[in-house]
Amino acid sequence: MTPELAKTLSHGMRRIRTVEETIAERYSDQEMRCPTHLSSGQEAVSAAIGAVLRPSDLAVSGHRAHAHYLAKGGDLNAMIAEIYGKVTGCARGKGGSMHLVDEAVGFMGSTAIVGGTVPVGVGLAYSLMLNETDDIVCIFLGDAVVETGVFHESLNFATLKNLPVLFLCENNFYSVYSPLSVRQSHMRQIHEKVSGFGITTEDGDGNDVAAVHEIVSRTVAGIRDGNGPAFLEFSTFRWREHCGPNYDDDLGYRPDQFIEDWNAREPIGLFESQALAEGSLTQDDIDALQSGIEDEVKAAFEFAKASDFPPASEASEHVLAASMMGSLK
Amino acid sequence: MTPELAKTLSHGMRRIRTVEETIAERYSDQEMRCPTHLSSGQEAVSAAIGAVLRPSDLAVSGHRAHAHYLAKGGDLNAMIAEIYGKVTGCARGKGGSMHLVDEAVGFMGSTAIVGGTVPVGVGLAYSLMLNETDDIVCIFLGDAVVETGVFHESLNFATLKNLPVLFLCENNFYSVYSPLSVRQSHMRQIHEKVSGFGITTEDGDGNDVAAVHEIVSRTVAGIRDGNGPAFLEFSTFRWREHCGPNYDDDLGYRPDQFIEDWNAREPIGLFESQALAEGSLTQDDIDALQSGIEDEVKAAFEFAKASDFPPASEASEHVLAASMMGSLK
Amino acid sequence: MQSFANEIRDGLDQALAEDPTVLVFGLGVPDPKGVFGTTLNLQEKYGEKRVFDMPTSENAMTGIAIGAALGGFKPVLTHQRLDFALLSMDQLVNNAAKWHFMFGGQRNVPITIRMILGRGWGQGPTHSQNLQSWFAHIPGLKVVMPALASDAKGLLLSSIYDPNPVIFLEHRWLHNAQTDVTTVEPIPLGKAKLLREGDAVTILSVSYMTIEALHAVDVLQQQGINCDLIDLRTVAPMDWPTIEQSVKKTGRLLVLDTGFKSFGIAGEIMAHVTETCWSSLKHPPARLTAPDYSESTSPALTKDYHVRAEHIASKIGEMMETSVSVEPILSQRGPAHDVPGNWFTGPF
Amino acid sequence: MQSFANEIRDGLDQALAEDPTVLVFGLGVPDPKGVFGTTLNLQEKYGEKRVFDMPTSENAMTGIAIGAALGGFKPVLTHQRLDFALLSMDQLVNNAAKWHFMFGGQRNVPITIRMILGRGWGQGPTHSQNLQSWFAHIPGLKVVMPALASDAKGLLLSSIYDPNPVIFLEHRWLHNAQTDVTTVEPIPLGKAKLLREGDAVTILSVSYMTIEALHAVDVLQQQGINCDLIDLRTVAPMDWPTIEQSVKKTGRLLVLDTGFKSFGIAGEIMAHVTETCWSSLKHPPARLTAPDYSESTSPALTKDYHVRAEHIASKIGEMMETSVSVEPILSQRGPAHDVPGNWFTGPF
Ligand SMILES: Cc1ncc(C[n+]2csc(CCOP(=O)(O)OP(=O)(O)O)c2C)c(N)n1
Ligand SMILES: Cc1ncc(C[n+]2csc(CCOP(=O)(O)OP(=O)(O)O)c2C)c(N)n1
Ligand SMILES: [Mg+2]
Ligand SMILES: [Mg+2]
């Protein structure tokens, strides 16, 4: 691996981790007053895809979108401000943690209904096809999304029209407190079920950022080449409670062995120890990355806290867009 | 094949054919005032499964349900009366051709929304599982149903709970005027897509009643044995327009060659010529079956026409069922 | 003479021609029947990428329309019956209606969703629902219900070019209605149309109800009772100024709707008018709507289901405390009660 | 003392215990949090076949509930937010609501669908919808909206044993409400409850609005204004006799609702009361509801979103043309406006 890529991946993961852990730390201040789903532990997939996508590629996501937004290049200040409900937020405080958007970098929106942005992503891919670009759409989804009918409907349409879409599934084995076993038949893994549709599928270790990077690079290149949609499944592990800042393994819904195994495979350490060993990263590199990130994150929280709340009048605004009738013709 | 089975299959197909063609003949009288989807040409799958299911097995279906209702043992008089909008109809005239029901023989209902009864059938199977019977539920579905999200959601649940359900797909290659090619990716056949879920799937020639009978017998036996859900796809051909009594091949939406090929494989003739050759049927058998059917069908139309319309007061009835509160405990 | 269906088709044609970002899709859009004639030949003219059929996947296709809109296009999605669109309420309400709002006004979703309202010939409980009040209840949606063939094209064009999601409800019984006026200009959404003038009663109607109301009002006029007949055209936004102005003049309000009575649009209009025109009211606001049960399939059970001109005329008589003859209406009644005209012989 | 959530849990427990055909399922039903405590330990007690988690497949699971009901069971399906149930409108409206009707009254579908109504702490546009008017508009559905902890169990039991599909709407802000009365008997659906008596104004309220109304009415009473406060409990069927009787006494109506204003349940009640109590009305019927836009996420944008006791008291003052002090209400206000009480510290 090139030092450059190693730095990119390390930086991507560390940046997400630092943001998420800082939110966790400060959530109890009761100033981030919205449901917040953290991605600590799941940084690798986002960091890897972030290193592969172009700014002109598009992405959509769901409730746990911080990592995806950041990986796609989303503005950190605007994200933290959004969580604080400030007018400088990426959605002017209207949407909170579950509604991130930064169209300037192709992050087209994340929403709170499981599966809700999957067809939106496919529709965006239809527009890319019409516009004849070689950009792609990345649809981030969790393991629960494959249980929704709309996912299958979307997959069918994407396949039918050979659209440039990557369905990127982070399988962390849980939907809230519910294990896969109470939601999906264990006869097949998720990617195997999807492969029935005849599209490219592959699975991998979602805590191994180098492996993810290799797979997504290859897959995204194929999509750009016109191979049509692909579905990738990466297994990974969420550190904290489903929603909120705390650890909740005292509740006992995940087996101890499962937790231990995954903790042993913490993605940043896993990658960096290899990179240090093979020489693509030095400890100095890491320290420099981390200190840059910490400054950036600190500044973002300061920005958010110093920002104004939206004026009360905005509560009733943005219901209907003003007619563009006049501008026609 | 035993002469008994040959007679059952021939009778099953001829009965459906005769009913459907009689409806077609009389529809222009303008007395059957409801959307009506005929199964002429598609008799074989129904006749075969009808010979395999028990009265205590359950079935649900969609808009094109005449054949399924009859095959499951539904009351012919009540069906024709229903299409005529009479109070003696199986739904007292409330539902018409698209809403058939005969719970006495396990036909639990057909409805008009594509895919709408699929989860209902799975829920019925859940009740059979709870009741620990070895009955099964047969869910009749067309090729368009596999495009609906609810089908996939239902399949997942049926698989998860290992329910006694047969998903029985009649693929006639069209949804209204729309060929499969504008609706589903051609990379895989329907049964191949479904097989990704890891359940038993098989496909067959839906105009070869003996072949269908062999496959469904084997599959239903497996479901009764606790093997869990299965999906079967049978290709077949609808003779007449999607909805209504006429032929519409002048519209040109189905290729001439396709029509010719399928017409050459008319299911009743196909089966009976073999059966006559192998001696499991005689021409006398056939004539006797057909004349019995004709009497029955004639009587059914007479019954329907002689029946009363529901009183106007029934229009507002059956909105809410009366409380059974009193009867509790 | 042009039919309502032709006007719709011409509206789509015009939009496709003048704006390369317009897309038209839905079940059966390019098929030989072209959604009751409303989409005929459009695929031939504009190609398979802009005009296309779709899988029976109403929810995803709505989301795909939203995505295409965010990608810079103006999709028009058609459902052959409103009832099928119930599968898409999540995408419609949680995404389309809220996208502009929940992302702080950054983007808008210019999609038009045509839904056809079924009636008669055994359409039955699941092919005849008129759920306009559902859509009107959702902030962020516009709801258009054309009645006159001469308005169909202009309203459709405005819907397509509106920056918001618009639900365009087409009554199946209007498709064959004829007009000799052909619109070329978009008709602004949110503007009702005064069709007849009078000071007895303000009649507000939508969609096919307007046809029945026109019969009733003309017959009443012959009997010396003159009503304001206002075709709402848009249910959301509602043209309150026009409504209030008329009610302040007449002091009497009768609302006609094709939907179920309770919690329907008529109730909202009555409530609003009571709030805003209280002191002008000479009579409690009244409504004639479908009843609070579904349309049955049997023709024997639909005879009294729908509001017809004679019911409207009688109701006006009752509100004016005068006797009214409905004989001229009944004697003009042509075809069977469950078909829109003799041209219709089933099956759909 | 029992909480509202405990009462729900006990209702489920009792139904599961006394009727072996009762089933309870939904996302998270057997998880450690047990749907805000309402389903705790039920799976342990009744087994995985009768009490179970489910895939994120809201539409199919509704159809599966219908099928299980046709198979002889009484399923109770839970959605952690009403908003998620938008995915199931097809099964709910096209199947559950119509099955009894469209098959001529042969079968009924005894399912209960619990939907939790979100509010505050950044629930935002898609976790805070109160679409009771949608359900009430559909013939064949019953709609129950408990307010008092002491009613929760009795109404739930009636819903479970009702032979029809019942939408049971639980407001998230009520789960922690306490009661010392524990119901043992089912409370009949369709019966409103008079909570306070007076002849100034008839106040009709539902769900959490009743809590705000109770504060307002008690403070008004201290100022010599006595109102009838009627908690509707069931929105469909509506207890029209109780409503009409009260309005005929007071001549003034104020309807409180948690949903969007336009085309909501308040409008229907106002329209109905205008139709039936016209000559008794001394004042135009009035309403206080959520506005016609979604709840935002930022706490800065929700301050004035919801109707609170002070708004109710002021409105009553306005209707009575007398001045009213809301000071006693404001001075009692405890926690931040976006949480139900100090016990709530997020995140959900
Ligand atoms: C349609 C719908 N149903 C239920 C929910 C509640 N919900 C929020 S997040 C979530 C879990 C999703 O799990 P998964 O897709 O695996 O993502 P993860 O949280 O594990 O990242 C659920 C069920 C919802 N938001 N939308
Ligand atoms: C949800 C929904 N969308 C659209 C329709 C209109 N529709 C009625 S039948 C039909 C075709 C179904 O095709 P298929 O499942 O292949 O059955 P076939 O008619 O070929 O027997 C369609 C699209 C509907 N009834 N429901
Ligand atoms: Mg997960
Ligand atoms: Mg077909």
Side-chain angles (χ1 to χ4, degrees):
Chain A
M1 183 173 295
T2 65
E4 200 196 336
L5 178 59
K7 268 189 229 165
T8 303
L9 296 176
S10 175
H11 180 261
M13 291 194 288
R14 285 181 168 271
R15 185 160 174 264
I16 295 166
R17 172 77 54 85
T18 306
V19 169
E20 296 296 68
E21 292 299 295
T22 310
I23 293 172
E25 205 178 294
R26 305 213 188 173
Y27 195 83
S28 61
D29 295 349
Q30 304 268 294
E31 291 180 32
M32 291 178 265
R33 301 176 83 84
C34 62
T36 302
H37 305 77
L38 301 177
S39 289
S40 301
Q42 301 192 185
E43 300 85 358
V45 171
S46 295
I49 188 76
V52 169
L53 295 178
R54 309 168 177 161
S56 56
D57 288 325
L58 306 178
V60 294
S61 180
H63 58 286
R64 192 181 312 283
H66 298 180
H68 310 148
Y69 171 95
L70 293 173
K72 190 69 185 66
D75 181 325
L76 174 62
N77 283 0
M79 175 177 121
I80 303 297
E82 186 61 34
I83 304 174
Y84 273 83
K86 299 302 179 75
V87 72
T88 52
C90 58
R92 300 184 73 82
K94 282 265 165 92
S97 163
M98 299 194 290
H99 296 90
L100 302 179
V101 64
D102 191 345
E103 290 207 5
V105 296
F107 193 84
M108 301 301 286
S110 65
T111 69
I113 303 291
V114 170
T117 54
V118 175
V120 175
V122 172
L124 284 163
Y126 197 81
S127 74
L128 294 181
M129 184 270 275
L130 289 172
N131 289 334
E132 295 177 9
T133 76
D134 69 347
D135 293 327
I136 75 151
V137 179
C138 176
I139 302 178
F140 289 98
L141 50 109
D143 46 286
V145 172
V146 300
E147 296 151 23
T148 67
V150 78
F151 166 74
H152 292 271
E153 294 182 347
S154 302
L155 197 63
N156 178 45
F157 188 80
T159 314
L160 174 67
K161 303 287 182 186
N162 203 46
L163 298 179
V165 194
L166 174 61
F167 297 93
L168 186 53
C169 177
E170 288 172 276
N171 179 1
N172 61 11
F173 303 95
Y174 284 82
S175 164
V176 195
Y177 304 101
S178 306
L180 271 173
S181 61
V182 302
R183 303 179 280 122
Q184 297 177 29
S185 143
H186 268 191
M187 286 196 261
R188 293 285 172 98
Q189 286 189 271
I190 292 174
H191 65 97
E192 291 172 317
K193 287 179 200 160
V194 171
S195 74
F197 275 81
I199 71 169
T200 308
T201 61
E202 198 165 330
D203 68 322
D205 176 353
N207 277 22
D208 180 345
V209 72
V212 177
H213 185 263
E214 189 278 319
I215 296 174
V216 294
S217 302
R218 190 163 26 84
T219 307
V220 167
I223 299 172
R224 289 201 207 290
D225 282 353
N227 294 357
F231 179 94
L232 298 177
E233 175 186 0
F234 293 107
S235 51
T236 185
F237 176 68
R238 149 170 70 73
W239 278 11
R240 295 175 180 272
E241 58 190 347
H242 165 71
C243 179
N246 303 308
Y247 289 96
D248 67 350
D249 281 317
D250 54 307
L251 295 175
Y253 66 100
R254 301 193 291 194
D256 290 344
Q257 191 60 49
F258 174 88
I259 299 171
E260 259 174 53
D261 289 352
W262 277 104
N263 277 337
R265 306 180 23 68
E266 185 280 310
I268 299 178
L270 205 65
F271 173 67
E272 291 179 349
S273 55
Q274 279 172 0
L276 288 167
E278 76 172 33
S280 53
L281 273 184
T282 67
Q283 190 57 48
D284 280 355
D285 291 338
I286 295 174
D287 294 345
L289 291 177
Q290 184 63 28
S291 105
I293 289 166
E294 269 160 32
D295 291 347
E296 188 197 1
V297 172
K298 189 159 167 260
F301 277 83
E302 278 163 15
F303 170 82
K305 295 185 71 152
S307 291
D308 288 333
F309 281 112
S313 60
E314 286 208 13
S316 60
E317 285 171 23
H318 314 130
V319 177
L320 289 170
S323 174
M324 52 192 177
M325 208 64 170
S327 70
L328 180 75
K329 288 180 224 177
Chain B
M1 183 174 292
T2 64
E4 200 196 337
L5 178 58
K7 267 189 229 166
T8 303
L9 296 178
S10 175
H11 180 260
M13 289 195 288
R14 284 179 170 273
R15 185 159 174 265
I16 294 167
R17 172 78 54 84
T18 306
V19 169
E20 297 297 67
E21 292 298 297
T22 310
I23 293 172
E25 205 178 295
R26 304 212 189 174
Y27 194 83
S28 61
D29 295 348
Q30 305 268 293
E31 291 182 32
M32 291 178 264
R33 301 176 82 84
C34 63
T36 302
H37 304 77
L38 301 177
S39 288
S40 301
Q42 301 192 185
E43 300 86 358
V45 170
S46 296
I49 187 77
V52 170
L53 295 179
R54 309 166 178 162
S56 57
D57 289 324
L58 306 178
V60 293
S61 179
H63 58 287
R64 192 181 310 285
H66 298 181
H68 310 149
Y69 171 95
L70 293 173
K72 190 71 186 64
D75 181 324
L76 174 61
N77 283 0
M79 175 177 121
I80 303 296
E82 187 61 34
I83 304 174
Y84 274 83
K86 298 303 180 73
V87 72
T88 52
C90 58
R92 300 185 73 81
K94 280 265 165 91
S97 163
M98 299 194 290
H99 296 90
L100 302 179
V101 64
D102 191 344
E103 290 207 5
V105 296
F107 192 84
M108 302 301 287
S110 65
T111 68
I113 303 292
V114 170
T117 54
V118 175
V120 175
V122 172
L124 284 163
Y126 196 81
S127 74
L128 294 180
M129 184 270 275
L130 289 171
N131 290 333
E132 296 176 8
T133 76
D134 69 346
D135 293 327
I136 75 152
V137 179
C138 175
I139 302 179
F140 289 98
L141 50 108
D143 45 287
V145 171
V146 300
E147 296 151 22
T148 67
V150 79
F151 166 73
H152 291 271
E153 293 182 350
S154 301
L155 197 63
N156 178 45
F157 188 80
T159 314
L160 175 66
K161 303 288 181 185
N162 203 45
L163 299 180
V165 194
L166 173 61
F167 296 93
L168 186 53
C169 177
E170 288 171 276
N171 178 1
N172 62 10
F173 302 94
Y174 284 83
S175 165
V176 195
Y177 304 101
S178 306
L180 272 174
S181 59
V182 302
R183 303 180 279 122
Q184 297 177 27
S185 144
H186 267 192
M187 286 196 261
R188 293 283 171 100
Q189 286 190 273
I190 291 172
H191 66 97
E192 290 172 317
K193 286 179 202 160
V194 171
S195 74
F197 275 82
I199 70 169
T200 307
T201 61
E202 198 166 330
D203 68 320
D205 176 353
N207 277 22
D208 180 345
V209 73
V212 177
H213 185 265
E214 189 277 319
I215 296 174
V216 295
S217 302
R218 191 162 26 84
T219 307
V220 167
I223 300 172
R224 289 202 207 289
D225 282 353
N227 294 357
F231 179 94
L232 299 177
E233 175 186 358
F234 294 107
S235 51
T236 184
F237 176 69
R238 149 170 71 72
W239 279 11
R240 295 176 180 271
E241 59 190 346
H242 166 71
C243 179
N246 302 308
Y247 288 96
D248 67 350
D249 282 317
D250 54 307
L251 294 175
Y253 66 100
R254 301 194 291 195
D256 290 344
Q257 190 61 48
F258 174 87
I259 299 171
E260 257 173 54
D261 289 352
W262 277 106
N263 277 336
R265 308 182 19 70
E266 185 280 313
I268 299 179
L270 205 66
F271 173 68
E272 290 179 350
S273 56
Q274 279 172 0
L276 287 168
E278 76 172 31
S280 53
L281 274 184
T282 67
Q283 189 59 46
D284 279 355
D285 291 338
I286 295 175
D287 293 345
L289 292 177
Q290 184 63 29
S291 105
I293 289 168
E294 268 160 32
D295 291 347
E296 188 197 0
V297 172
K298 189 159 167 261
F301 277 83
E302 277 163 15
F303 170 82
K305 294 184 72 150
S307 290
D308 287 333
F309 281 111
S313 61
E314 286 208 12
S316 61
E317 286 172 22
H318 313 129
V319 176
L320 289 170
S323 175
M324 53 193 178
M325 210 65 169
S327 69
L328 180 74
K329 290 178 222 180
Chain C
M1 292 291 267
Q2 279 266 104
S3 73
F4 186 109
N6 284 340
E7 286 290 298
I8 297 288
R9 196 210 150 277
D10 287 0
L12 294 172
D13 194 358
Q14 181 174 324
L16 283 159
E18 68 193 10
D19 185 340
T21 70
V22 172
L23 309 176
V24 173
F25 57 95
L27 288 175
V29 158
D31 80 22
K33 293 291 175 77
V35 188
F36 310 113
T38 61
T39 57
L40 285 174
N41 298 318
L42 296 174
Q43 189 176 56
E44 287 77 352
K45 215 161 155 183
Y46 299 100
E48 294 188 359
K49 290 193 169 168
R50 294 183 60 203
V51 179
F52 53 97
D53 210 321
M54 69 179 211
T56 307
S57 303
E58 281 83 358
N59 200 30
M61 293 311 302
T62 305
I64 286 165
I66 296 167
L70 296 173
F73 291 85
K74 301 190 186 75
V76 182
L77 168 57
T78 299
H79 299 290
Q80 304 228 13
R81 285 291 178 273
L82 176 146
D83 315 68
F84 310 158
L86 287 179
L87 284 151
S88 63
M89 289 305 108
D90 170 54
Q91 285 297 324
L92 185 67
V93 173
N94 283 331
N95 274 349
K98 296 183 175 53
W99 204 274
H100 187 63
F101 183 89
M102 71 191 171
F103 291 109
Q106 285 173 65
R107 289 302 304 279
N108 56 289
V109 178
I111 62 176
T112 303
I113 306 196
R114 296 173 54 206
M115 302 183 191
I116 292 169
L117 307 172
R119 168 173 169 176
W121 199 270
Q123 293 298 301
T126 60
H127 277 60
S128 64
Q129 288 169 93
N130 289 255
L131 299 179
Q132 45 270 25
S133 75
W134 273 33
F135 305 123
H137 187 50
I138 302 299
L141 296 182
K142 294 193 177 181
V143 184
V144 179
M145 297 187 76
L148 303 184
S150 54
D151 282 342
K153 184 176 169 189
L155 290 169
L156 180 60
L157 285 170
S158 289
S159 302
I160 295 172
Y161 291 127
D162 195 275
N164 300 289
V166 178
I167 309 298
F168 190 87
L169 301 176
E170 270 169 54
H171 201 288
R172 178 75 185 98
W173 281 28
L174 293 172
H175 279 138
N176 214 44
Q178 304 289 318
T179 178
D180 45 16
V181 190
T182 292
T183 333
V184 275
E185 285 303 310
I187 298 172
L189 303 186
K191 294 262 169 271
K193 188 173 185 174
L194 182 67
L195 298 182
R196 294 286 186 278
E197 242 185 295
D199 52 18
V201 176
T202 298
I203 304 176
L204 302 180
S205 70
V206 289
S207 188
Y208 183 76
M209 275 301 106
T210 297
I211 308 303
E212 298 286 346
L214 278 166
H215 290 179
V217 168
D218 291 347
V219 164
L220 287 167
Q221 193 187 17
Q222 290 154 19
Q223 299 177 42
I225 303 176
N226 295 301
C227 294
D228 263 8
L229 171 58
I230 297 171
D231 179 38
L232 291 176
R233 303 203 292 197
T234 322
V235 168
M238 187 80 80
D239 185 355
W240 293 122
T242 299
I243 295 171
E244 290 167 23
Q245 196 190 333
S246 173
V247 174
K248 282 177 181 157
K249 175 181 70 176
T250 62
R252 293 183 191 84
L253 172 69
L254 174 62
V255 190
L256 309 177
D257 183 27
T258 54
F260 301 126
K261 175 182 164 194
S262 295
F263 306 91
I265 63 167
E268 175 59 28
I269 296 172
M270 291 158 73
H272 178 100
V273 163
T274 319
E275 288 171 320
T276 55
C277 307
W278 178 250
S279 59
S280 314
L281 289 175
K282 301 175 195 155
H283 188 280
R287 55 183 155 184
L288 289 172
T289 68
D292 282 333
Y293 51 88
S294 298
E295 183 175 324
S296 291
T297 300
S298 173
L301 298 177
T302 55
K303 281 214 177 88
D304 301 318
Y305 187 86
H306 297 281
V307 175
R308 308 204 71 154
E310 57 268 31
H311 307 128
I312 301 169
S314 302
K315 185 77 188 174
I316 298 287
E318 205 184 297
M319 290 175 77
M320 297 301 294
E321 292 175 41
T322 176
S323 79
V324 149
S325 164
V326 296
E327 191 36 47
I329 296 171
L330 298 177
S331 62
Q332 281 170 38
R333 277 264 168 267
H337 77 279
D338 63 344
V339 293
N342 285 324
W343 57 272
F344 188 94
T345 58
F348 196 63
Chain D
M1 291 290 267
Q2 280 266 104
S3 71
F4 187 108
N6 284 340
E7 286 290 298
I8 296 288
R9 196 210 150 277
D10 287 359
L12 294 172
D13 194 359
Q14 181 174 324
L16 284 159
E18 68 193 10
D19 184 340
T21 71
V22 171
L23 309 176
V24 173
F25 57 95
L27 289 174
V29 158
D31 80 23
K33 294 290 176 77
V35 188
F36 311 113
T38 61
T39 57
L40 286 174
N41 298 318
L42 297 174
Q43 188 176 58
E44 287 76 352
K45 215 161 156 184
Y46 301 99
E48 295 190 357
K49 289 193 168 168
R50 293 184 59 204
V51 178
F52 52 98
D53 210 322
M54 67 177 213
T56 307
S57 304
E58 281 83 358
N59 199 31
M61 293 312 301
T62 305
I64 287 164
I66 296 167
L70 295 173
F73 291 85
K74 301 190 186 73
V76 182
L77 168 58
T78 299
H79 300 290
Q80 304 228 16
R81 285 292 178 274
L82 175 146
D83 315 70
F84 310 157
L86 287 179
L87 284 151
S88 63
M89 289 303 109
D90 171 53
Q91 285 298 323
L92 185 67
V93 174
N94 284 330
N95 274 348
K98 297 183 176 51
W99 204 275
H100 187 63
F101 183 90
M102 70 190 172
F103 292 109
Q106 285 173 63
R107 288 302 302 279
N108 56 290
V109 178
I111 61 177
T112 302
I113 307 195
R114 294 173 55 206
M115 302 182 192
I116 292 168
L117 307 172
R119 168 172 170 177
W121 199 269
Q123 292 298 302
T126 60
H127 277 59
S128 64
Q129 288 169 92
N130 288 255
L131 300 179
Q132 45 271 24
S133 75
W134 273 32
F135 305 123
H137 187 50
I138 303 299
L141 296 182
K142 293 192 177 180
V143 185
V144 179
M145 297 187 75
L148 303 185
S150 54
D151 283 343
K153 184 176 168 189
L155 289 170
L156 180 60
L157 285 169
S158 290
S159 301
I160 294 172
Y161 291 127
D162 195 276
N164 301 288
V166 179
I167 309 299
F168 191 87
L169 301 177
E170 269 169 57
H171 201 288
R172 178 74 186 98
W173 281 28
L174 293 172
H175 279 138
N176 214 44
Q178 304 289 319
T179 178
D180 45 15
V181 191
T182 292
T183 332
V184 274
E185 286 303 309
I187 298 173
L189 304 187
K191 295 261 170 271
K193 188 173 187 175
L194 183 67
L195 298 181
R196 294 286 186 277
E197 240 183 296
D199 52 19
V201 175
T202 297
I203 305 176
L204 302 181
S205 71
V206 290
S207 187
Y208 182 76
M209 276 301 105
T210 297
I211 308 303
E212 299 285 346
L214 279 166
H215 290 179
V217 168
D218 290 347
V219 165
L220 287 168
Q221 194 188 15
Q222 291 154 18
Q223 300 177 41
I225 302 176
N226 295 301
C227 294
D228 264 9
L229 171 58
I230 297 172
D231 179 38
L232 291 177
R233 302 203 293 197
T234 322
V235 167
M238 188 79 80
D239 186 356
W240 293 122
T242 299
I243 295 171
E244 289 167 22
Q245 196 190 331
S246 173
V247 173
K248 281 178 182 156
K249 174 180 72 175
T250 62
R252 293 185 190 83
L253 172 69
L254 174 63
V255 190
L256 309 176
D257 183 27
T258 55
F260 301 125
K261 175 183 166 193
S262 294
F263 306 91
I265 63 167
E268 175 60 28
I269 296 171
M270 291 158 73
H272 179 101
V273 162
T274 319
E275 288 171 321
T276 54
C277 308
W278 179 251
S279 59
S280 312
L281 289 175
K282 301 176 195 154
H283 188 281
R287 55 183 154 183
L288 289 172
T289 68
D292 282 333
Y293 52 88
S294 297
E295 183 176 325
S296 291
T297 300
S298 173
L301 298 177
T302 56
K303 281 214 177 86
D304 301 318
Y305 187 87
H306 297 281
V307 175
R308 306 204 73 153
E310 58 269 31
H311 307 129
I312 301 168
S314 302
K315 185 79 188 176
I316 298 286
E318 205 185 296
M319 291 174 76
M320 297 302 293
E321 292 174 41
T322 176
S323 80
V324 149
S325 164
V326 297
E327 192 36 49
I329 296 171
L330 298 177
S331 62
Q332 282 171 37
R333 278 262 167 268
H337 77 279
D338 63 344
V339 293
N342 285 325
W343 56 273
F344 187 95
T345 58
F348 197 62

